[in-house]
Amino acid sequence: MRKKLIAGNWKMNGLTHDGISLAKDLANLYKASDNPIFDMFIAPPFTLLSNVLEVVKESGVWVGAQDCSMYDAGAHTGDVSPIMLKDLGCGGVIVGHSERRADHGETNEIVKAKAEAALKAGLGVIICVGETLRERETGKTLNVVKEQLQKSIPTETTAGRVVIAYEPVWAIGTGKTPTKNDVQEVHASMRHVLADVVGAEIAQNIRLLYGGSVKPNNAKDLLTLPDVDGALVGGASLKVNDFWAIAQAVM
Ligand code: PGA
């Protein structure tokens, strides 16, 4: 049984006061829900990690960053290493988000190096993949996602520490989502590809999230697909009621 994972990517949003209060509200809801059947992860901006870690501690909510360096330390101005994140108390990190691939030229090879560095530091990783609109329209989705997976999955992948998020670039922040059939098709195909790369058992147990315009009104449809094990939520993760409603859709 793969336990569902509801992950919130706050992106470059949140100042101290609002960020702390959002994290606190979520932590209280999660703690109060008796033995939740889903894991909850939130990725605030670097500037809020320390505050958020403090307010969610002992709630069971898992906190991590939205990116990390592939290096452990040294002359890399502006970067944050996975060892630093671990030292702070983070449990994980998102790598390869399409906004990083687009804004910072991150290739599959870079994503893989970051994921490997994060695992080495003792963090869990959420690795993002997904096609552009042009790739979708020209029928290349499955091949694009396959190549991204083959090239960005760490050699040491285990089902416990690695999560994959399928996020079609054209669905992020647009209010558009693929059909249920399209999502299930990509997720089933990803499991197939993963079986070749990391073996059948890990492929069967690894969690595959869907991300891209997940909202309370479409969460149930997406989260009950057989190969969808949770959601990576952007915009709706900034509103406690919306994010919590999405999480409730796994019930
Ligand atoms: P969105 O973002 O939910 O705002 O579409 C998802 C993501 O980028 O992870």
Side-chain angles (χ1 to χ4, degrees):
M1 261 306 272
R2 300 181 296 262
K3 192 173 186 187
K4 294 270 202 278
L5 171 63
I6 304 299
N9 172 12
W10 293 9
K11 308 194 179 185
M12 198 172 71
N13 294 296
L15 301 180
T16 315
H17 181 267
D18 290 349
I20 290 178
S21 105
L22 174 57
K24 203 182 268 174
D25 289 347
L26 274 176
N28 287 338
L29 285 167
Y30 191 73
K31 206 170 165 185
S33 61
D34 199 23
N35 196 14
I37 59 162
F38 57 91
D39 290 329
M40 179 163 272
F41 172 79
I42 50 175
F46 287 122
T47 47
L48 289 181
L49 279 172
S50 201
N51 287 319
V52 167
L53 279 159
E54 180 62 29
V55 296
V56 308
K57 75 172 181 239
E58 283 153 32
S59 68
V61 173
W62 185 38
V63 177
Q66 301 167 16
D67 177 50
C68 68
S69 172
M70 67 172 97
Y71 303 110
D72 292 345
H76 304 286
T77 303
D79 288 347
V80 176
S81 86
I83 293 178
M84 292 169 173
L85 295 174
K86 179 73 182 169
D87 179 53
L88 199 61
C90 287
V93 62
I94 299 170
V95 295
H97 190 282
S98 61
E99 287 151 16
R100 296 219 47 99
R101 290 179 188 257
D103 296 354
H104 301 274
E106 292 191 5
T107 60
N108 290 320
E109 291 70 22
I110 292 174
V111 174
K112 180 175 180 172
K114 289 184 171 197
E116 290 186 335
L119 288 180
K120 192 171 77 155
L123 298 171
V125 278
I126 299 180
I127 302 170
C128 304
V129 295
E131 82 286 2
T132 61
L133 185 57
R134 171 174 277 266
E135 288 161 346
R136 160 75 52 185
E137 286 175 346
T138 50
K140 299 199 179 105
T141 300
L142 296 184
N143 279 337
V144 167
V145 171
K146 178 179 180 181
E147 188 180 344
Q148 287 176 329
L149 275 181
Q150 287 171 330
K151 294 190 175 163
S152 48
I153 293 294
T155 328
E156 302 292 317
T157 290
T158 62
R161 306 257 312 277
V162 177
V163 173
I164 311 292
Y166 166 57
E167 298 205 306
V169 178
W170 54 273
I172 294 176
T174 58
K176 295 187 192 131
T177 55
T179 64
K180 289 200 291 181
N181 283 349
D182 288 343
V183 173
Q184 173 54 27
E185 183 188 33
V186 175
H187 279 233
S189 156
M190 291 201 295
R191 234 180 259 293
H192 204 73
V193 173
L194 285 166
D196 284 343
V197 184
V198 293
E201 195 183 331
I202 294 174
Q204 201 45 46
N205 291 318
I206 203 164
R207 291 187 283 190
L208 305 180
L209 312 184
Y210 168 78
S213 295
V214 178
K215 306 287 176 204
N217 63 5
N218 61 19
K220 189 110 209 158
D221 280 351
L222 294 162
L223 288 168
T224 49
L225 293 168
D227 281 299
V228 174
D229 308 309
L232 180 53
V233 185
S237 74
L238 297 170
K239 295 189 190 124
V240 66
N241 291 339
D242 285 359
F243 193 51
W244 192 249
I246 290 168
Q248 296 305 297
V250 306
M251 304 292 198

